[in-house]
């Protein structure tokens, strides 16, 4: 699969997720009737028109790998993006990472206010589980499996727990192991969740589920390494957010500890591991493998 | 049912919910393995050892009314309490209601810090949906129905939306209708959710579901009126939180607008409506009707 083919496919999914998000966050729509308009605007500010929608893409492509119809999983994919966006809105708050710019726009608490940002994040998280439950095209066991999976990976033993570890770490030097644990939870858990969601949606075998989980964990590692590398090397215009923030805060990252050449070698190694993990699926896994490469190579 | 019988039953349910919460929030337990200990402590601070556990009680008693085994719904009842506790943790934050004391203890952001309080609330909310999905004793349709119901009533069109309306209202005078809408969302939605959850758990008929919803909305109105009356008349020692805060902030409540005698008449009227709503169930509804009376009469 060529890079331009891959990017077209990624963009098509992003557009479909955008449409589903916009419909879900429309006060005149069926999902959130009677929600206060200002709160909905804050939710839209935090969720619409942003990002590559990587997690929905991984979910839909991993579902497709096991024969599920991606059209029937779009609500579940959108739910995962709601969880991701909620985490960005809350992580940007003054009490957390205190960021003023996200995706080239003011963060939600800057564009609205702190209380509204907290509630918008809460509401996006709450919406996510409703979107999964309402996904009529999926079996009941698939939907329940997804709710359980997202709850585990987004919560205190996953993404939110990783953010807590990250905040606890400010001002002290973490070991490489501690950094790895924190990042596996903070960033890796939701990416692994997206990949594991595919076999859950398709009611696939436990072995497939475990394999896609491992693939997702590898992609998560690559994603974080590439992110940290960008923080070392890119500028704010490229990132759409402040660059060098981790360095400025004294946060240690693996690229900062081990250098750029080490990081590039490690990224290549992770891509090889990702390919090996999906080798049993042959050509069917082409898109997911292209995604792993894309994540490792990304420049923004 | 005598008051002491009712209170014994309420206390027994509260103890069962406490046990279930404590097990769910144990880092050595099966629900949240590997969660950071400090975050878990903050979650326990916000959730354990507090309150009458009214929402779980309403859920379990409304499930019992339709023949469901309450023992099989304890996780779902605990989930609802997690949602309630998350909302208290976030509402107490400096950017929201800025409260320092809750249930006679420092609020979570006072005992820990703001970031941890935000994450503890997020994690309690996330946990709630996992507890429902994992409730093996319930049918898949009941569990999915609960996830959808809780998502609707806790989110932007329910509880979180009500809190947003309440914050928007600070510094301007709401009409009685606006107050009623805000309170129906902020407080009423989760109480109505608890009552509607019973027929959902029992896979009961749509008519029963609608009837329990109406009953729950009446109980929610009574709860809020009694709360506002207490804010007018009680002291902080009785409440375990600051008294007179609404008055101090210039927030208008119905008791403040209409007086204490009007409020007491209105509470009696709501109890009568609640009784009428459950009349078709005869003696089986005794406990739920006693709950409505308890809510209207409560002095703390």
């Amino acid at each position: 699969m060529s890079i331009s083919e891959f990017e077209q496919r990624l963009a098509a999914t992003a557009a479909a997720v955008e449409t589903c998000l916009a419909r879900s966050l429309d006060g005149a729509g069926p999902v959130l009737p009677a929600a206060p308009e200002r709160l909905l605007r804050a939710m839209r500010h935090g969720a619409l028109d942003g990002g590559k929608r990587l997690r929905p893409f991984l979910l839909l492509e991993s579902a497709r790998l096991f024969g599920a119809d991606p059209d029937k999983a779009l609500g579940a994919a959108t739910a995962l993006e709601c969880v991701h966006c909620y985490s960005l809105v809350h992580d940007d708050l003054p009490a957390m990472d205190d960021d003023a710019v996200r995706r080239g726009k003011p963060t939600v608490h800057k564009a609205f206010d702190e209380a509204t940002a907290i509630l918008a994040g809460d509401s996006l998280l709450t919406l996510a589980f409703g979107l999964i439950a309402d996904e009529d095209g999926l079996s009941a066991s698939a939907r329940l499996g997804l709710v359980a999976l997202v709850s585990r990976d987004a919560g205190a033993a996953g993404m939110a727990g990783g953010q807590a570890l990250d905040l606890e770490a400010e001002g002290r030097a973490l070991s490489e192991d501690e950094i790895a644990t924190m990042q596996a939870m903070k960033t890796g858990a939701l990416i692994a969740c997206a990949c594991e969601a595919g076999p859950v949606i398709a009611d696939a075998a436990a072995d497939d589920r475990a394999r896609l989980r491992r693939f997702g964990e590898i992609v998560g590692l690559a994603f974080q390494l590439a992110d940290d590398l960008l923080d070392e090397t890119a500028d704010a215009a490229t990132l759409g957010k402040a660059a060098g923030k981790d360095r400025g805060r004294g946060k240690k990252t693996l690229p900062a500890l081990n250098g750029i050449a080490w990081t590039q070698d490690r990224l290549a190694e992770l891509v090889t591991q990702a390919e090996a993990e999906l080798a049993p699926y042959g050509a069917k896994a082409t898109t997911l493998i292209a995604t792993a490469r894309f994540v490792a190579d990304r420049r923004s």
Side-chain angles (χ1 to χ4, degrees), chain A:
Chain A
M1 174 171 280
S2 74
I3 293 200
S4 85
E5 279 173 324
F6 172 80
E7 288 187 344
Q8 276 173 25
R9 192 152 182 164
L10 184 61
T13 294
V17 168
E18 189 77 17
T19 303
C20 189
L21 270 174
R23 201 180 53 227
S24 302
L25 298 174
D26 182 346
V31 183
L32 289 177
E37 184 51 34
R38 189 162 186 275
L39 177 60
L40 280 174
R41 276 196 285 122
M43 293 168 76
R44 289 196 289 266
H45 187 95
L48 295 184
D49 190 25
K52 290 174 284 288
R53 314 302 190 187
L54 178 67
R55 292 155 195 80
F57 187 74
L58 285 166
L59 178 146
L60 293 169
E61 291 300 330
S62 70
R64 191 197 303 274
L65 181 64
F66 297 99
D69 177 358
D71 287 347
K72 293 188 173 168
L74 194 58
T78 301
L80 216 57
E81 190 66 14
C82 287
V83 174
H84 176 56
C85 292
Y86 123 74
S87 78
L88 300 181
V89 173
H90 279 191
D91 286 1
D92 287 340
L93 285 165
M96 301 257 241
D97 298 344
D98 194 15
D99 278 309
V101 180
R102 161 80 61 190
R103 293 168 174 168
K105 294 187 299 186
T107 47
V108 177
H109 67 275
K110 287 287 180 188
F112 294 81
D113 55 70
E114 269 184 67
T116 303
I118 294 167
L119 290 169
D122 292 345
S123 299
L124 284 167
L125 174 60
T126 306
L127 172 64
F129 291 102
L131 289 175
I132 297 171
D134 287 340
E135 190 71 306
D136 289 343
L138 302 183
S139 72
S141 68
R143 284 182 272 168
L144 285 173
L146 283 175
V147 170
L149 178 66
V150 173
S151 173
R152 188 187 69 193
D153 282 323
M159 183 180 71
Q163 174 69 359
L165 289 178
D166 198 14
L167 292 167
E168 281 176 37
E170 285 192 6
R172 73 181 185 91
L174 293 187
S175 69
E176 287 206 26
D177 278 357
E178 286 175 316
I179 293 173
T181 299
M182 179 271 285
Q183 291 183 340
M185 292 169 71
K186 179 176 174 168
T187 315
L190 203 62
I191 290 174
C193 174
C195 298
E196 187 177 353
V200 170
I201 283 166
D203 291 309
D207 276 3
D208 292 318
R209 192 170 164 166
R211 188 170 285 283
L212 267 285
R213 180 81 197 181
R214 291 193 300 272
F215 170 78
E217 286 170 355
I218 295 163
V219 174
L221 285 172
F223 183 92
Q224 186 62 49
L225 267 188
D227 208 58
D228 290 340
L229 190 60
L230 281 166
D231 195 68
E232 290 285 312
T233 58
D235 58 26
T238 309
L239 292 182
K241 60 183 180 183
K245 278 209 78 159
D246 292 343
R247 271 173 294 158
R249 283 176 180 148
K251 277 192 193 178
K252 284 283 181 285
T253 66
L254 297 179
L257 286 170
N258 297 313
I260 290 172
W262 175 91
T263 306
Q264 285 164 339
D265 288 351
R266 178 76 179 124
L267 282 167
E269 194 185 319
L270 288 169
V271 170
T272 305
Q273 284 177 21
E275 288 169 346
E277 205 60 76
L278 299 194
Y281 306 116
K284 282 194 295 177
T286 304
T287 307
L288 282 174
I289 287 169
T291 314
R293 271 196 216 108
F294 173 82
V295 163
D297 292 345
R298 76 203 172 93
R299 293 286 171 271
S300 68

